[in-house]
Amino acid sequence: FPPQLVRAANTLLKKKVLFGSDYPLISPERWIRDFEALEVRDEVRPLVMKENAITALHLDGTATRDA
């Protein structure tokens, strides 16, 4: 992970970055291990690993339906 990406993920992009394993080139286990070693803020980690995807995919019940 480039340092610029880590800085941006901790600040401007903290609600935009999503987990992605790049499977089959990188296994999810490897990605998670490498992610855990980064200097990502504690409050940003759950956003990247889960919360941002929930929001992006409207799994939190906030999706609007057209009538």
Side-chain angles (χ1 to χ4, degrees), residues 9 11-19 47-48 52-53 56:
T11 57
L12 297 173
L13 299 179
K14 68 182 177 184
K15 296 203 176 205
K16 304 288 183 190
V17 178
L18 302 174
F19 164 78
L47 296 174
V48 172
N52 290 342

Side-chain angles (χ1 to χ4, degrees), residues 9-39:
N10 275 319
T11 57
L12 297 173
L13 299 179
K14 68 182 177 184
K15 296 203 176 205
K16 304 288 183 190
V17 178
L18 302 174
F19 164 78
S21 70
D22 295 324
Y23 182 83
L25 299 175
I26 300 173
S27 71
E29 295 81 12
R30 159 86 188 281
W31 194 98
I32 291 168
R33 185 178 64 244
D34 291 352
F35 180 70
E36 289 173 349
L38 296 175
E39 292 184 18

